[in-house]
Amino acid sequence: MDFLFRSIMSASFVEQVPVAEQLRSLTTLVQQELVRRGVLTRPVVFISSAHGEYDIDATVMGYSEALAVLKQAIESRTVEEQIDGDIIEPIIRAS
């Protein structure tokens, strides 16, 4: 994860944008692409004994495809253009 974070932070998309805003845009795009692939989750995946092999395989495949979209969007500087809707906002904000 640290490698991914450093890679994202060094990408040209994020050079002039505050970190919190960058992460919300990136998270929004990944969540959007996961939903398009039938994976309903939060940024943290919770797996239980109710999930079978198919569920786990579908989740891994969904993340693989969503992260490929994210990589392409970062490299082409089109992250925000690829988001259909509003950027995810935090529910609880630090005061």
Side-chain angles (χ1 to χ4, degrees), residues 22-72:
Q22 296 166 20
L23 294 177
R24 285 193 303 271
S25 294
L26 299 172
T27 300
T28 299
L29 182 57
V30 170
Q31 290 294 302
Q32 169 188 287
E33 295 304 316
L34 287 171
V35 168
R36 286 183 173 163
R37 289 157 176 79
V39 178
L40 304 178
T41 186
R42 296 176 162 206
V44 176
V45 178
F46 296 98
I47 298 175
S48 74
S49 60
H51 293 105
E53 188 173 331
Y54 172 82
D55 302 310
I56 295 168
D57 289 345
T59 301
V60 170
M61 180 61 72
Y63 267 96
S64 177
E65 293 172 3
L67 292 174
V69 170
L70 177 65
K71 180 179 187 277
Q72 184 276 328

Side-chain angles (χ1 to χ4, degrees), residues 1 5 8 10-11 14 21 34 38 45 48 50-51 54 58 60 65-66 70 72 81 83 91 95:
M1 184 63 168
F5 184 76
I8 290 170
S10 66
V14 297
E21 187 177 330
L34 287 171
V45 178
S48 74
H51 293 105
Y54 172 82
V60 170
E65 293 172 3
L70 177 65
Q72 184 276 328
E81 291 87 346
I83 296 171
I91 296 172
S95 52

